[in-house]
Amino acid sequence: MASINKLSLSAKIFIAMILGAIAGLALNIAGNPEWSQIWLIDGVFKVVGQIFISLLKMLVVPLVFVSLVCGSSSLSDPKMLGRVGGKTIGLYLLTTAIAVCLALSSAIIFKPGVGAQPISKVDTQIAEATPFTQVLIDMVPTNPVAAMADGQMLPIIFFAVLLGISITLSKEVGVRVASWFNDMNAIIMKLVTLVMGFAPYGVFSLIAILAATSSADSFLALGKYVGLVFAVLFIHALVVYPILFSMLARLSPMKFLFKLRAAVLFAFSTASSNATIPVTLETVEKRIGVSNKVASFTIPLGATINMDGTAIMQGIATGFIAQYYGIDLSMSQYLMVVVMVILASIGTAGVPSVGLVVLAGVLTQVGLPAEGIALILGVDRLLDMTRTVVNITGDSMVTTVVAKSEGELDLDIFDDPKAGVIYDR
Ligand code: ASP
């Protein structure tokens, strides 16, 4: 028992994940007897898993708001915000463009949709991607409290940054308020640490449900599609990011990726970049060494507008669906897909499965049958979990690169394998 307590939190979460998979598979192989369906899958596991996700979501709005007010009120040079914003958005768009181009080329080369035989057809919701002009308009909240109540990230970011800047401009009054926000930030970070203690149980339950309820048949039927999405996700995370990272930050990508492991485990088990914000933020600040000024702005922004993993799935899925229906896409349609996928990822929040729903809008735009989504729905959950890992890795990579370029990265923390005590005690 004592030795279990000595394990770092990420090690505990990892063990919980493996045990959850074993427990779930055992139930799956036993044919999910009625008692386990009632008492475990729809009972204990569901309650614990959902409570864990709710706890994480509970933290997101207060954490992003307070942390971002602290970050923007501590900017000594207001121009820095514009520079950080410009670089961050530029890199977010660039990495998403690389992701979708990689995905489309691999779909063209490997043709996952030719001869695919999906086993079942299911109804799916079809949602239009929000037009980019509307995304811009919606960014300015008419009512910041309503934006917080609805958890809309872009308007919250907008309001918090303006409030932070006003605090700085308000001289002595501002100093008092800024110190209150700083205290509050420390308290919310403590709350994050408390919630993280519950993570191994939550992760165990979420993975157990997944393993108990997934069927291998659907994966086999769509083997080529699933394999290709996995392969491109891995290439993007383990080849494209490291190359960009070492070129732009001139630091070891291995150290960076290794330090990200707690956030990776959270993203994988929750399939939501939004719910993972508290962990991503703590990780890049405490483990990697990015200052709060930069991270409090770029991480929530990235969770909302930067979704490289999602773009990869959407690119390959578009190719897959076109091939399945025997439709040849022209070069201009491919270009349209690239632009649509980038714009669509900007307007969508990082929550589970949203990538698939948005894909419907992309398909309609390029004239492909949106019902095609039903073909890949059955295998999406595991892909969703994996692409969420890529999404948050991209956010953290860009954040670190931008922080380094602004002199806002503490290299002592970056180089210290033990920095960031809360996850790896
Ligand atoms: N689940 C993804 C995220 O939260 C979005 C998606 O691809 O569905 O980042």
Side-chain angles (χ1 to χ4, degrees):
M1 206 59 202
S3 55
I4 289 189
N5 282 336
K6 269 198 217 123
L7 288 176
S8 70
L9 185 59
S10 2
K12 284 185 196 160
I13 298 174
F14 188 69
I15 294 171
M17 197 178 259
I18 306 281
L19 292 179
I22 295 174
L25 279 178
L27 292 177
N28 200 330
I29 292 167
N32 280 331
E34 207 181 321
W35 63 266
S36 79
Q37 185 69 37
I38 298 173
W39 292 100
L40 298 177
I41 298 173
D42 288 335
V44 184
F45 293 167
K46 185 170 174 186
V47 172
V48 175
Q50 290 301 318
I51 287 185
F52 168 57
I53 300 219
S54 302
L55 280 170
L56 282 173
K57 286 191 184 159
M58 169 187 92
L59 297 171
V60 173
V61 171
L63 175 70
V64 168
F65 178 66
V66 174
S67 176
L68 194 47
V69 171
C70 286
S72 51
S73 64
S74 64
L75 286 174
S76 43
D77 168 16
K79 282 204 198 98
M80 181 183 153
L81 190 70
R83 268 200 325 267
V84 168
K87 285 184 204 171
T88 309
I89 294 173
L91 281 174
Y92 280 161
L93 294 181
L94 175 76
T95 51
T96 310
I98 297 177
V100 60
C101 291
L102 206 61
L104 279 176
S105 345
S106 66
I108 295 170
I109 297 170
F110 295 102
K111 305 197 184 343
V114 176
Q117 285 171 346
I119 47 172
S120 64
K121 291 205 170 191
V122 229
D123 279 339
T124 180
Q125 303 158 270
I126 295 183
E128 292 289 317
T130 322
F132 187 61
T133 42
Q134 197 56 41
V135 174
L136 283 181
I137 297 171
D138 291 345
M139 214 167 71
V140 182
T142 49
N143 179 347
V145 180
M148 287 188 206
D150 295 339
Q152 292 169 359
M153 220 40 78
L154 293 180
I156 298 178
I157 293 176
F158 187 87
F159 179 65
V161 168
L162 278 191
L163 188 65
I165 293 175
S166 313
I167 289 175
T168 318
L169 297 176
S170 304
K171 307 268 161 28
E172 299 98 81
V173 184
V175 172
R176 282 204 301 275
V177 176
S179 111
W180 182 87
F181 269 102
N182 279 315
D183 289 350
M184 199 59 204
N185 199 24
I187 291 169
I188 293 187
M189 288 296 192
K190 196 37 108 207
L191 188 56
V192 173
T193 316
L194 286 182
V195 167
M196 296 318 164
F198 184 65
Y201 308 98
V203 168
F204 173 90
S205 306
L206 292 175
I207 301 291
I209 296 178
L210 181 81
T213 52
S214 304
S215 90
D217 296 354
S218 47
F219 284 100
L220 290 180
L222 293 177
K224 232 172 155 185
Y225 166 75
V226 175
L228 196 58
V229 175
F230 274 132
V232 180
L233 287 174
F234 281 113
I235 291 174
H236 198 68
L238 301 177
V239 180
V240 176
Y241 286 154
I243 293 178
L244 283 175
F245 189 76
S246 34
M247 266 169 44
L248 300 171
R250 308 214 164 271
L251 292 169
S252 153
M254 285 306 130
K255 258 187 209 165
F256 163 78
L257 288 175
F258 195 63
K259 287 196 163 207
L260 216 57
R261 59 190 185 274
V264 161
L265 294 174
F266 272 80
F268 185 75
S269 41
T270 60
S272 166
S273 346
N274 264 17
T276 312
I277 289 176
V279 194
T280 320
L281 202 53
E282 285 260 320
T283 305
V284 292
E285 288 184 17
K286 303 266 164 66
R287 303 271 294 121
I288 295 177
V290 176
S291 76
N292 170 264
K293 279 181 219 172
V294 172
S296 66
F297 174 60
T298 56
I299 292 295
L301 185 68
T304 317
I305 73 166
N306 184 44
M307 296 193 188
D308 299 352
T310 305
I312 287 172
M313 177 281 285
Q314 290 170 337
I316 297 180
T318 308
F320 172 85
I321 290 168
Q323 289 155 6
Y324 180 80
Y325 286 106
I327 300 169
D328 271 332
L329 292 179
S330 65
M331 204 55 213
S332 64
Q333 276 170 309
Y334 278 119
L335 272 179
M336 177 92 154
V337 175
V338 174
V339 175
M340 281 296 299
V341 164
I342 296 176
L343 291 184
S345 77
I346 296 179
T348 32
V351 291
S353 291
V354 65
L356 204 63
V357 177
V358 169
L359 177 62
V362 177
L363 293 176
T364 318
Q365 285 285 328
V366 283
L368 287 172
E371 306 79 68
I373 290 188
L375 306 171
I376 50 177
L377 202 61
V379 291
D380 196 58
R381 180 68 191 179
L382 196 60
L383 298 179
D384 191 7
M385 295 158 78
T386 316
R387 66 182 183 253
T388 308
V389 169
V390 175
N391 290 346
I392 65 113
T393 307
D395 302 342
S396 310
M397 196 274 290
V398 169
T399 295
T400 312
V401 166
V402 171
K404 170 87 189 323
S405 75
E406 287 289 325
E408 293 291 334
L409 180 72
D410 185 331
L411 290 173
D412 291 338
I413 297 186
F414 186 85
D415 287 328
D416 176 5
K418 293 242 174 308
V421 277
I422 87 152
Y423 298 115
D424 297 277
R425 281 172 288 206

PDB file of all heavy atoms in Angstrom, residues 271-274 307 310 313 349-356 384 387-388 391, ligand 1:
ATOM      1  N   ALA A 271     -11.398  12.208 -23.840  1.00  0.00           N
ATOM      2  CA  ALA A 271     -11.696  12.570 -25.228  1.00  0.00           C
ATOM      3  C   ALA A 271     -12.189  14.005 -25.334  1.00  0.00           C
ATOM      4  O   ALA A 271     -13.016  14.327 -26.188  1.00  0.00           O
ATOM      5  CB  ALA A 271     -12.710  11.616 -25.857  1.00  0.00           C
ATOM      6  N   SER A 272     -11.693  14.877 -24.481  1.00  0.00           N
ATOM      7  CA  SER A 272     -12.119  16.275 -24.560  1.00  0.00           C
ATOM      8  C   SER A 272     -10.963  17.217 -24.222  1.00  0.00           C
ATOM      9  O   SER A 272     -10.452  17.207 -23.104  1.00  0.00           O
ATOM     10  CB  SER A 272     -13.284  16.502 -23.586  1.00  0.00           C
ATOM     11  OG  SER A 272     -13.498  17.871 -23.394  1.00  0.00           O
ATOM     12  N   SER A 273     -10.553  18.022 -25.225  1.00  0.00           N
ATOM     13  CA  SER A 273      -9.473  18.972 -24.935  1.00  0.00           C
ATOM     14  C   SER A 273      -9.933  20.018 -23.935  1.00  0.00           C
ATOM     15  O   SER A 273      -9.140  20.523 -23.153  1.00  0.00           O
ATOM     16  CB  SER A 273      -8.943  19.705 -26.164  1.00  0.00           C
ATOM     17  OG  SER A 273      -9.328  19.164 -27.343  1.00  0.00           O
ATOM     18  N   ASN A 274     -11.232  20.347 -23.970  1.00  0.00           N
ATOM     19  CA  ASN A 274     -11.742  21.339 -23.016  1.00  0.00           C
ATOM     20  C   ASN A 274     -11.639  20.856 -21.589  1.00  0.00           C
ATOM     21  O   ASN A 274     -11.158  21.563 -20.714  1.00  0.00           O
ATOM     22  CB  ASN A 274     -13.214  21.618 -23.315  1.00  0.00           C
ATOM     23  CG  ASN A 274     -13.383  22.836 -24.169  1.00  0.00           C
ATOM     24  OD1 ASN A 274     -12.415  23.278 -24.790  1.00  0.00           O
ATOM     25  ND2 ASN A 274     -14.574  23.375 -24.213  1.00  0.00           N
ATOM     26  N   MET A 307      -7.171  22.062 -33.597  1.00  0.00           N
ATOM     27  CA  MET A 307      -7.486  20.634 -33.482  1.00  0.00           C
ATOM     28  C   MET A 307      -6.860  19.867 -34.622  1.00  0.00           C
ATOM     29  O   MET A 307      -7.514  19.524 -35.606  1.00  0.00           O
ATOM     30  CB  MET A 307      -8.995  20.459 -33.497  1.00  0.00           C
ATOM     31  CG  MET A 307      -9.625  21.100 -32.315  1.00  0.00           C
ATOM     32  SD  MET A 307     -11.289  20.602 -32.137  1.00  0.00           S
ATOM     33  CE  MET A 307     -11.760  21.714 -30.847  1.00  0.00           C
ATOM     34  N   THR A 310      -8.206  16.215 -34.915  1.00  0.00           N
ATOM     35  CA  THR A 310      -9.537  16.215 -35.506  1.00  0.00           C
ATOM     36  C   THR A 310      -9.437  16.457 -37.012  1.00  0.00           C
ATOM     37  O   THR A 310     -10.126  15.803 -37.810  1.00  0.00           O
ATOM     38  CB  THR A 310     -10.378  17.328 -34.838  1.00  0.00           C
ATOM     39  OG1 THR A 310     -10.336  17.100 -33.434  1.00  0.00           O
ATOM     40  CG2 THR A 310     -11.800  17.331 -35.317  1.00  0.00           C
ATOM     41  N   MET A 313      -8.499  13.234 -38.762  1.00  0.00           N
ATOM     42  CA  MET A 313      -9.639  12.326 -38.928  1.00  0.00           C
ATOM     43  C   MET A 313     -10.553  12.851 -40.038  1.00  0.00           C
ATOM     44  O   MET A 313     -10.997  12.097 -40.904  1.00  0.00           O
ATOM     45  CB  MET A 313     -10.403  12.223 -37.598  1.00  0.00           C
ATOM     46  CG  MET A 313     -11.644  11.375 -37.630  1.00  0.00           C
ATOM     47  SD  MET A 313     -13.091  12.189 -38.350  1.00  0.00           S
ATOM     48  CE  MET A 313     -13.597  13.300 -37.069  1.00  0.00           C
ATOM     49  N   ALA A 349     -15.821  23.559 -30.297  1.00  0.00           N
ATOM     50  CA  ALA A 349     -15.213  23.371 -28.978  1.00  0.00           C
ATOM     51  C   ALA A 349     -14.601  21.989 -28.886  1.00  0.00           C
ATOM     52  O   ALA A 349     -14.998  21.077 -29.602  1.00  0.00           O
ATOM     53  CB  ALA A 349     -16.280  23.529 -27.922  1.00  0.00           C
ATOM     54  N   GLY A 350     -13.614  21.830 -27.998  1.00  0.00           N
ATOM     55  CA  GLY A 350     -12.984  20.525 -27.835  1.00  0.00           C
ATOM     56  C   GLY A 350     -13.759  19.633 -26.900  1.00  0.00           C
ATOM     57  O   GLY A 350     -13.436  19.503 -25.726  1.00  0.00           O
ATOM     58  N   VAL A 351     -14.824  19.038 -27.406  1.00  0.00           N
ATOM     59  CA  VAL A 351     -15.600  18.105 -26.582  1.00  0.00           C
ATOM     60  C   VAL A 351     -15.726  16.785 -27.358  1.00  0.00           C
ATOM     61  O   VAL A 351     -15.513  16.775 -28.560  1.00  0.00           O
ATOM     62  CB  VAL A 351     -17.007  18.665 -26.243  1.00  0.00           C
ATOM     63  CG1 VAL A 351     -16.896  19.832 -25.298  1.00  0.00           C
ATOM     64  CG2 VAL A 351     -17.755  19.051 -27.478  1.00  0.00           C
ATOM     65  N   PRO A 352     -16.070  15.691 -26.664  1.00  0.00           N
ATOM     66  CA  PRO A 352     -16.070  14.412 -27.358  1.00  0.00           C
ATOM     67  C   PRO A 352     -16.959  14.387 -28.598  1.00  0.00           C
ATOM     68  O   PRO A 352     -18.047  14.967 -28.598  1.00  0.00           O
ATOM     69  CB  PRO A 352     -16.605  13.433 -26.304  1.00  0.00           C
ATOM     70  CG  PRO A 352     -16.243  14.047 -25.019  1.00  0.00           C
ATOM     71  CD  PRO A 352     -16.330  15.525 -25.232  1.00  0.00           C
ATOM     72  N   SER A 353     -16.461  13.755 -29.633  1.00  0.00           N
ATOM     73  CA  SER A 353     -17.207  13.483 -30.877  1.00  0.00           C
ATOM     74  C   SER A 353     -17.553  14.687 -31.724  1.00  0.00           C
ATOM     75  O   SER A 353     -18.159  14.525 -32.772  1.00  0.00           O
ATOM     76  CB  SER A 353     -18.531  12.776 -30.593  1.00  0.00           C
ATOM     77  OG  SER A 353     -18.262  11.508 -30.161  1.00  0.00           O
ATOM     78  N   VAL A 354     -17.213  15.872 -31.284  1.00  0.00           N
ATOM     79  CA  VAL A 354     -17.656  17.034 -32.048  1.00  0.00           C
ATOM     80  C   VAL A 354     -17.052  17.026 -33.448  1.00  0.00           C
ATOM     81  O   VAL A 354     -17.683  17.440 -34.414  1.00  0.00           O
ATOM     82  CB  VAL A 354     -17.351  18.344 -31.291  1.00  0.00           C
ATOM     83  CG1 VAL A 354     -15.877  18.569 -31.138  1.00  0.00           C
ATOM     84  CG2 VAL A 354     -17.971  19.524 -31.982  1.00  0.00           C
ATOM     85  N   GLY A 355     -15.854  16.465 -33.566  1.00  0.00           N
ATOM     86  CA  GLY A 355     -15.184  16.420 -34.862  1.00  0.00           C
ATOM     87  C   GLY A 355     -16.025  15.705 -35.902  1.00  0.00           C
ATOM     88  O   GLY A 355     -16.088  16.108 -37.071  1.00  0.00           O
ATOM     89  N   LEU A 356     -16.704  14.674 -35.464  1.00  0.00           N
ATOM     90  CA  LEU A 356     -17.520  13.891 -36.383  1.00  0.00           C
ATOM     91  C   LEU A 356     -18.759  14.666 -36.824  1.00  0.00           C
ATOM     92  O   LEU A 356     -19.163  14.627 -37.985  1.00  0.00           O
ATOM     93  CB  LEU A 356     -17.952  12.620 -35.649  1.00  0.00           C
ATOM     94  CG  LEU A 356     -18.310  11.449 -36.516  1.00  0.00           C
ATOM     95  CD1 LEU A 356     -17.106  11.009 -37.314  1.00  0.00           C
ATOM     96  CD2 LEU A 356     -18.789  10.303 -35.648  1.00  0.00           C
ATOM     97  N   ASP A 384     -11.461   9.156 -31.414  1.00  0.00           N
ATOM     98  CA  ASP A 384     -11.704  10.447 -30.762  1.00  0.00           C
ATOM     99  C   ASP A 384     -10.722  10.637 -29.601  1.00  0.00           C
ATOM    100  O   ASP A 384     -10.095  11.685 -29.440  1.00  0.00           O
ATOM    101  CB  ASP A 384     -13.155  10.464 -30.260  1.00  0.00           C
ATOM    102  CG  ASP A 384     -13.620  11.835 -29.806  1.00  0.00           C
ATOM    103  OD1 ASP A 384     -12.860  12.804 -30.005  1.00  0.00           O
ATOM    104  OD2 ASP A 384     -14.729  11.941 -29.261  1.00  0.00           O
ATOM    105  N   ARG A 387      -7.253  11.206 -31.102  1.00  0.00           N
ATOM    106  CA  ARG A 387      -7.014  12.502 -31.752  1.00  0.00           C
ATOM    107  C   ARG A 387      -7.030  13.641 -30.739  1.00  0.00           C
ATOM    108  O   ARG A 387      -6.381  14.671 -30.943  1.00  0.00           O
ATOM    109  CB  ARG A 387      -7.989  12.745 -32.903  1.00  0.00           C
ATOM    110  CG  ARG A 387      -9.433  12.894 -32.532  1.00  0.00           C
ATOM    111  CD  ARG A 387     -10.289  13.092 -33.772  1.00  0.00           C
ATOM    112  NE  ARG A 387     -11.683  13.309 -33.430  1.00  0.00           N
ATOM    113  CZ  ARG A 387     -12.643  12.402 -33.625  1.00  0.00           C
ATOM    114  NH1 ARG A 387     -12.370  11.243 -34.161  1.00  0.00           N
ATOM    115  NH2 ARG A 387     -13.886  12.683 -33.279  1.00  0.00           N
ATOM    116  N   THR A 388      -7.756  13.443 -29.624  1.00  0.00           N
ATOM    117  CA  THR A 388      -7.729  14.472 -28.587  1.00  0.00           C
ATOM    118  C   THR A 388      -6.322  14.610 -28.000  1.00  0.00           C
ATOM    119  O   THR A 388      -5.866  15.716 -27.684  1.00  0.00           O
ATOM    120  CB  THR A 388      -8.763  14.152 -27.478  1.00  0.00           C
ATOM    121  OG1 THR A 388     -10.026  13.921 -28.099  1.00  0.00           O
ATOM    122  CG2 THR A 388      -8.892  15.278 -26.486  1.00  0.00           C
ATOM    123  N   ASN A 391      -4.552  16.693 -30.370  1.00  0.00           N
ATOM    124  CA  ASN A 391      -5.007  18.082 -30.239  1.00  0.00           C
ATOM    125  C   ASN A 391      -4.288  18.811 -29.109  1.00  0.00           C
ATOM    126  O   ASN A 391      -3.781  19.915 -29.282  1.00  0.00           O
ATOM    127  CB  ASN A 391      -6.517  18.129 -29.968  1.00  0.00           C
ATOM    128  CG  ASN A 391      -7.334  17.711 -31.179  1.00  0.00           C
ATOM    129  OD1 ASN A 391      -6.802  17.638 -32.289  1.00  0.00           O
ATOM    130  ND2 ASN A 391      -8.610  17.451 -30.991  1.00  0.00           N
TER     131      ASN A 391
HETATM  132  N1  ASP B   1     -12.724  15.269 -28.878  1.00  0.00           N
HETATM  133  C1  ASP B   1     -11.928  16.208 -29.596  1.00  0.00           C
HETATM  134  C2  ASP B   1     -11.350  17.222 -28.618  1.00  0.00           C
HETATM  135  O1  ASP B   1     -11.930  17.501 -27.616  1.00  0.00           O
HETATM  136  C3  ASP B   1     -12.679  16.909 -30.669  1.00  0.00           C
HETATM  137  C4  ASP B   1     -13.088  15.916 -31.715  1.00  0.00           C
HETATM  138  O2  ASP B   1     -12.258  15.613 -32.567  1.00  0.00           O
HETATM  139  O3  ASP B   1     -14.195  15.399 -31.696  1.00  0.00           O
HETATM  140  O4  ASP B   1     -10.303  17.748 -28.839  1.00  0.00           O
END
